[in-house]
Amino acid sequence: MTHQLTVAKSTAAALPASARPAAPADAVSTATASRATVSSAHSALGTAGLVTVLLGAFLPMLDFFIVNVALPTIDHDLAAGPAVLELVAAGYGIAFAVLLVLGGRLGDIYGRRRLFVVGAATFAVTSLACGLAPGAWTLVAARAAQGGSAALLVPQVLGTITAATHGARRGRALSVYGAVAGISVVIGQVLGGILVAADLFGTGWRSVFLLNVPFALLTVGLAFRYVPESRAEQAAKVDIAGTVLLTATMLALLVPLMEGRAAGWPLWSWLLLALSPVLATAFVLVELRAERRGGSPLVPPTLLRIPEMRRGLGIALPYFGGFGGFMFVIAVALQQGLHLGPVAAGWALVPMAVGYFTASLAGPRLIGRFGSRVLTAGAVVQAVGLATLAVTVLADWSHFSPLRMAPGVALAGIGQGLIGTPLFRVILSKVPADRAGVGSGVLATSQQSSLALGVATLGTLYLALSPTLGLDRALALCLGIQLLGSFAILCLTLRLPRSIG
C-alpha cells in the first residue's frame, strides 16, 4: 500500500532580461523583434526545427511520469524505502522547478540553441547516470541533476518558438507544444509500465532512464542542423540575489509539500512553509529595486504587467493545480479502490489523452474563429466531464471501472485541451522576443509549481478523508473541488481579450 501511495503521489507531482518596460507589441513589431534576435543560417524555425525542439520538450516531461511505475521495482532492487523513493521522484521535480527561470535567463544571454544543446546533452549524461546508479542515494543525486538539466532545456523550447516564429505559425507551434505536454502524462505511465514489464536485456527499471540517452543525443544532433540561434539583443547579467531568493522560496514551498506527508509533517516542514511567503516577499522587493535601478531582475516586474501574461498566469494556477490533483486522486482510486496495476491504471486514462490531443489539434482553427472564448468553452466542457465522473463514482462505486469512467475522463481531457493549448499562446502572445526565455521560464515554473500545489492540497485531502468517508465519497468530494476550479477558470477567461495574438 505504501508503494502504491508513493507511486500515485509522484505521478501527480509530475502530474513542466533587460529591465526595459515590456509594452505590448503588435504582430509587425513582434515579427521584427523576432527577426532581430534570430541569428542563424535559418531565418526562422522550420518544421524540422519545430520537431526537434518539441522532442527536447517531450523527453523531460515524459521523465516526470515514466519513472513512477518503476518505483516499486527500484525499492526492491536498491532497498530504497518509502522516504528515499519520494526523493527519487520529488528531487527531479524540485530541481526542475527552482531552476527553470534561471535556465530561461541563461538562454536569453548566451543563446537559446546553445543552452538547448547543453541541456539535451546533460540530460543524456544524467539519464545514463540514473540508469547505471549502483545505490538509492546515487539515484537520488542523479535524478536531481537530471531535473537541473531539464531546467536548462525546456525554457529554450518556448523561448525559441516565441523568438523564431510569429503570427499564425507561432500559434500553431504553441498549440502542438500544449498537445505534447498533455499526452506525455499518459504516454509516460503506459510506456514506463511496458518497459519495466518487458525487462529488456535484463535492465528492469533502468530501461526507463536509459531510453532517454539515444533520443537526447539525437536531439543534440538535430538542433545543430535545424534550430536557429536566438538571444536577447542586449545581454543582461545574471541576477544573483534574485536567483538565490527565488530558489529559496521554491524550496521552502515545494520540499515540505512533496516530502512533508511522507515524513509525518514534522516541525521543519511547517517552519519552511511559514518561511516561504517571507522569502517570496523579499524576492519581489529585490526584483522591484533592481528594475528601478536599471538592473536586470531575474523576473522583470514589467513582464508581469503585461495583461495577457498576468491574466494567463492567473488561469494557470487553478488549471495546472486541478490537473495535478486530478491525476493524483485518480491514480490512488484506481490502484487502491480497483486494485489495478500501474499499466492498467495508465491505460484507463487513455480516453483523457485522446480527448486532450484531439482538442489541441483543433485549437488553432478554433482560436482563429472564436478567440479566447475557446478557453471559456474548455472550462465548461471540463466541468461537465468532472461532474459526469463524480456522478458515476457516487452512482455505483462497486461496479466502477475504467470503462465506466471513460466518458467523464474523455470530456475532462477535451476541456483541458481546449484550455491548455491556447493558454500557452495567451501568456506568451505579447512577450517581447528579447524576453522570450525569461517569459518561458516564468510560465514553466508556474506550471510545475501549480502541479505540486494541486497534489499537496487535493491529494492530502483525499488521503485524509478516504478512511472515514470511503474512497468513493472522498473521490467525489475532490472532484467537486476541482469543479469549483473549473468555474474559477471560466470567470477568469471572460476577462481575456477576445482576440489572441
Side-chain angles (χ1 to χ4, degrees):
M1 186 69 71
T2 302
H3 294 333
Q4 290 177 337
L5 290 179
T6 303
V7 171
K9 179 181 178 184
S10 59
T11 298
L15 246 143
S18 62
R20 196 170 64 233
D26 58 24
V28 174
S29 60
T30 300
T32 303
S34 298
R35 287 192 296 269
T37 57
V38 176
S39 56
S40 173
H42 303 278
S43 61
L45 186 67
T47 301
L50 178 60
V51 170
T52 301
V53 296
L54 290 177
L55 178 60
F58 180 74
L59 291 175
M61 294 176 188
L62 183 76
D63 225 61
F64 259 133
F65 308 107
I66 197 172
V67 68
N68 295 321
V69 294
L71 290 176
T73 309
I74 293 173
D75 185 26
H76 179 269
D77 288 354
L78 302 182
V84 178
L85 285 181
E86 290 281 354
L87 289 174
V88 170
Y92 179 92
I94 291 172
F96 195 175
V98 302
L99 295 175
L100 274 166
V101 177
L102 178 61
R105 167 57 61 84
L106 292 175
D108 285 345
I109 298 173
Y110 297 109
R112 298 179 187 111
R113 184 180 68 178
R114 179 179 297 176
L115 265 293
F116 181 86
V117 168
V118 170
T122 55
F123 192 80
V125 172
T126 53
S127 295
L128 181 63
C130 289
L132 300 179
W137 285 106
T138 306
L139 180 58
V140 169
R143 281 286 284 172
Q146 190 185 35
S149 66
L152 292 178
L153 177 59
V154 171
Q156 317 316 326
V157 177
L158 285 171
T160 298
I161 291 174
T162 303
T165 62
H166 63 276
R169 182 167 180 80
R170 177 187 294 178
R172 288 192 296 270
L174 291 173
S175 297
V176 176
Y177 177 89
V180 167
I183 64 173
S184 63
V185 178
V186 176
I187 290 178
Q189 283 290 101
V190 176
L191 182 60
I194 292 173
L195 288 173
V196 173
D199 192 21
L200 298 174
F201 307 107
T203 56
W205 58 268
R206 299 179 186 275
S207 61
V208 304
F209 299 114
L210 298 176
L211 178 71
N212 293 324
V213 177
F215 288 101
L217 294 178
L218 174 64
T219 302
V220 171
L222 292 175
F224 280 115
R225 181 174 177 83
Y226 295 113
V227 178
E229 182 63 282
S230 63
R231 57 169 54 86
E233 291 182 358
Q234 295 180 346
K237 296 181 179 179
V238 174
D239 177 12
I240 297 176
T243 300
V244 171
L245 282 172
L246 180 62
T247 301
T249 302
M250 298 295 290
L251 287 174
L253 178 65
L254 293 179
V255 169
L257 289 180
M258 291 182 172
E259 294 295 312
R261 186 178 63 84
W265 295 108
L267 178 60
W268 64 260
S269 64
W270 296 107
L271 291 177
L272 282 178
L273 285 174
L275 185 61
S276 61
V278 178
L279 292 170
T281 301
F283 171 72
V284 171
L285 294 176
V286 166
E287 298 300 274
L288 288 170
R289 184 177 64 180
E291 190 163 69
R292 283 197 304 267
R293 293 181 175 181
S296 302
L298 183 68
V299 180
T302 49
L303 194 66
L304 300 179
R305 293 181 193 136
I306 300 174
E308 287 80 1
M309 169 158 274
R310 185 175 64 252
R311 294 168 185 171
L313 290 177
I315 295 171
L317 178 60
Y319 173 71
F320 291 115
F323 183 73
F326 178 87
M327 293 300 296
F328 170 78
V329 171
I330 287 295
V332 174
L334 291 176
Q335 295 185 60
Q336 278 192 329
L338 301 184
H339 305 291
L340 297 180
V343 178
W347 279 110
L349 296 174
V350 167
M352 172 179 283
V354 173
Y356 191 107
F357 188 67
T358 302
S360 297
L361 292 181
R365 184 172 63 257
L366 294 174
I367 293 167
R369 183 173 181 181
F370 301 106
S372 64
R373 294 301 173 259
V374 173
L375 286 88
T376 307
V380 173
V381 175
Q382 178 179 261
V384 172
L386 292 171
T388 301
L389 189 57
V391 170
T392 305
V393 168
L394 292 175
D396 189 0
W397 175 249
S398 61
H399 292 93
F400 188 73
S401 67
L403 182 61
R404 287 175 178 260
M405 67 184 280
V409 295
L411 284 172
I414 292 171
Q416 289 162 355
L418 291 175
I419 299 169
T421 301
L423 185 58
F424 290 98
R425 186 170 172 179
V426 167
I427 294 174
L428 298 176
S429 62
K430 296 299 176 63
V431 174
D434 64 347
R435 294 187 178 187
V438 67
S440 302
V442 170
L443 170 56
T445 300
S446 301
Q447 177 185 10
Q448 301 305 324
S449 303
S450 298
L451 286 169
L453 288 171
V455 175
T457 52
L458 286 174
T460 301
L461 180 66
Y462 177 77
L463 291 175
L465 294 179
S466 56
T468 54
L469 292 182
L471 295 176
D472 53 345
R473 293 183 180 180
L475 174 57
L477 177 61
C478 290
L479 291 172
I481 295 174
Q482 294 167 53
L483 188 61
L484 294 177
S486 296
F487 288 128
I489 294 172
L490 173 64
C491 295
L492 291 170
T493 59
L494 296 175
R495 297 189 59 194
L496 294 173
R498 182 66 177 267
S499 176
I500 299 177

